[in-house]
Amino acid sequence: NLKDNFLGDSGVAKLVPAILQCRSIVYLDLASNGLTSKCAKSLYQLLSNNETIVTVDLSTSASSAHPNRLGKESFLSLARVFEKSKALI
């Protein structure tokens, strides 16, 4: 659970290699971390190359100090991963 840690785009980019090495993560909570479309490529790489993650939370709570603002294009890109994935729900 990495929710509300203000990882930002650069934080997610730094975490991707470590998460790819960990084969026990099934739920990845990145809600309310100040994410923008700049991290979409990192998320795409992660989700395309990980077979154990089945759920990803990219939501933002209304009271969050660090709302995610991924935007439509980011979600359309990530949707392609979801369509291809046998694991993600």
Side-chain angles (χ1 to χ4, degrees), residues 65-79:
H66 312 291
N68 287 341
R69 294 186 174 105
L70 290 161
K72 181 180 177 180
E73 291 301 316
S74 298
F75 281 108
L76 290 174
S77 174
L78 293 173

Side-chain angles (χ1 to χ4, degrees), residues 26 53-56 82 85-89:
V26 295
I53 295 174
V54 295
T55 305
V56 179
F82 298 143
S85 175
K86 295 175 184 166
L88 288 166
I89 54 174

Side-chain angles (χ1 to χ4, degrees), residues 2-81:
L2 298 170
K3 180 180 180 178
D4 235 349
N5 279 294
F6 194 49
L7 295 172
D9 300 323
S10 62
V12 168
K14 290 175 185 173
L15 282 173
V16 166
I19 294 171
L20 283 171
Q21 296 298 313
C22 184
R23 296 294 179 192
S24 62
I25 296 174
V26 295
Y27 175 73
L28 183 60
D29 189 347
L30 294 172
S32 301
N33 269 291
L35 306 181
T36 70
S37 60
K38 293 177 185 176
C39 76
K41 185 176 180 178
S42 296
L43 290 172
Y44 186 90
Q45 176 191 6
L46 170 63
L47 299 174
S48 295
N49 294 294
N50 182 290
E51 297 176 357
T52 61
I53 295 174
V54 295
T55 305
V56 179
D57 187 345
L58 298 171
S59 66
T60 293
S61 65
S63 61
S64 174
H66 312 291
N68 287 341
R69 294 186 174 105
L70 290 161
K72 181 180 177 180
E73 291 301 316
S74 298
F75 281 108
L76 290 174
S77 174
L78 293 173
R80 287 189 285 267
V81 176

